[in-house]
Amino acid sequence: MDSQSVSTKLNLIATAERLFAEHGINAVSLRKIATDAGQRNDNAVTYHFGSKQSLVDAIFEHRQVPIDVRRRALIAAFDGEGRDGDPYAIAEAFARPLVELMDGSPSGSWYLRFCVQAAYTVHSDVATLTLSDLEARPGSLGLAVLRERACRMLRDTLPEALVAQRWWHFTGFIAHMLADLEARRHVGGLRELGSAELFVAGLLDSATAVLTAPCRPATSRLVKNEAGAGP
């Protein structure tokens, strides 16, 4: 692939990420993406990617691969400190690469809001995103390691029926809070919420609390009742 083609594809990826984040995946046409990317050919996205689903996949791969490199480096560093079972380390290894992506985008980033939009895209030619979808994509090894460690830890304190659910709560909380931070940065910052550094520090504390919160007796009874009810 020549350099001009690579440059065009990266421009289309960046433009699509922004438009999908701002308006939703269903609301943005491939023609709109091509126009906003400065392409004279209205079919530029189809030419380079084939379909909207393939373009969404390309955005994830473009972002997830470098995020995963950083995430695995953090995991290795925490392991070297003997923190492989530390829930705070799990939270930081999950969130920190995403924060650094935002920090490294002087003109603003859209990836976190794109992820949230992708999670709720239904009734279109783009499949609804699930956590298993993310973990099956290129650049997901670090995410899978964190999930395995979190679930192993959770099985010591939670009924098995709640383990996957709790991981979903944890990752969803971080993703939505970082998407909110990303959006606030486009309209003047956090203001009443303090500095970005303080926001992230508090987010890691809160996310760890979500991950490690004990199961109430009422919830345990509900789990037992549902198990007894059968399919």
Side-chain angles (χ1 to χ4, degrees):
M1 186 181 297
D2 60 53
S3 59
Q4 183 174 352
S5 180
V6 170
S7 177
T8 298
K9 291 186 74 171
L10 289 175
N11 185 28
L12 289 168
I13 285 172
T15 302
E17 180 184 74
R18 174 178 59 81
L19 291 173
F20 289 156
E22 291 177 338
H23 306 291
I25 294 174
N26 287 343
V28 179
S29 69
L30 299 185
R31 177 172 294 185
K32 169 67 173 171
I33 294 168
T35 299
D36 278 35
Q39 297 296 306
R40 283 181 260 181
N41 179 4
D42 290 342
N43 295 316
V45 174
T46 302
Y47 174 79
H48 285 284
F49 297 97
S51 67
K52 183 180 282 188
Q53 179 67 64
S54 294
L55 176 58
V56 167
D57 292 340
I59 294 170
F60 275 117
E61 183 168 354
H62 174 65
R63 294 300 190 190
Q64 277 188 258
V65 170
I67 285 171
D68 188 61
V69 170
R70 175 59 174 148
R71 183 168 284 144
R72 286 187 284 121
L74 284 170
I75 291 170
F78 291 141
D79 286 357
E81 298 169 1
R83 299 179 62 196
D84 53 297
D86 181 355
Y88 286 94
I90 292 173
E92 184 155 3
F94 181 88
R96 184 64 62 185
L98 302 174
V99 174
E100 291 172 353
L101 172 64
M102 287 190 283
D103 290 343
S105 304
S107 61
S109 62
W110 288 267
Y111 179 63
L112 272 300
R113 283 168 291 169
F114 161 76
C115 288
V116 171
Q117 292 283 8
Y120 294 106
T121 297
V122 294
H123 305 306
S124 74
D125 58 338
V126 179
T128 303
L129 179 71
T130 68
L131 189 61
S132 58
D133 292 332
L134 274 177
E135 293 182 356
R137 294 176 183 275
S140 61
L141 179 59
L143 181 62
V145 169
L146 294 180
R147 176 183 175 123
E148 188 277 329
R149 291 183 178 185
C151 291
R152 185 174 66 234
M153 177 188 70
L154 291 171
R155 288 189 179 98
D156 291 335
T157 58
L158 294 179
E160 182 64 33
L162 297 181
V163 170
Q165 182 191 96
R166 182 61 64 84
W167 174 252
W168 183 249
H169 290 165
F170 167 75
T171 56
F173 175 75
I174 292 177
H176 281 80
M177 288 300 98
L178 289 182
D180 183 63
L181 172 61
E182 187 181 73
R184 286 173 180 268
R185 285 183 168 182
H186 282 269
V187 292
L190 297 175
R191 298 179 184 172
E192 76 280 5
L193 298 181
S195 68
E197 182 179 5
L198 181 60
F199 181 90
V200 172
L203 172 62
L204 294 176
D205 292 341
S206 299
T208 302
V210 169
L211 185 64
T212 60
C215 179
R216 296 177 302 150
T219 307
S220 295
R221 288 194 296 271
L222 185 60
V223 169
K224 290 178 181 178
N225 289 341
E226 292 194 3

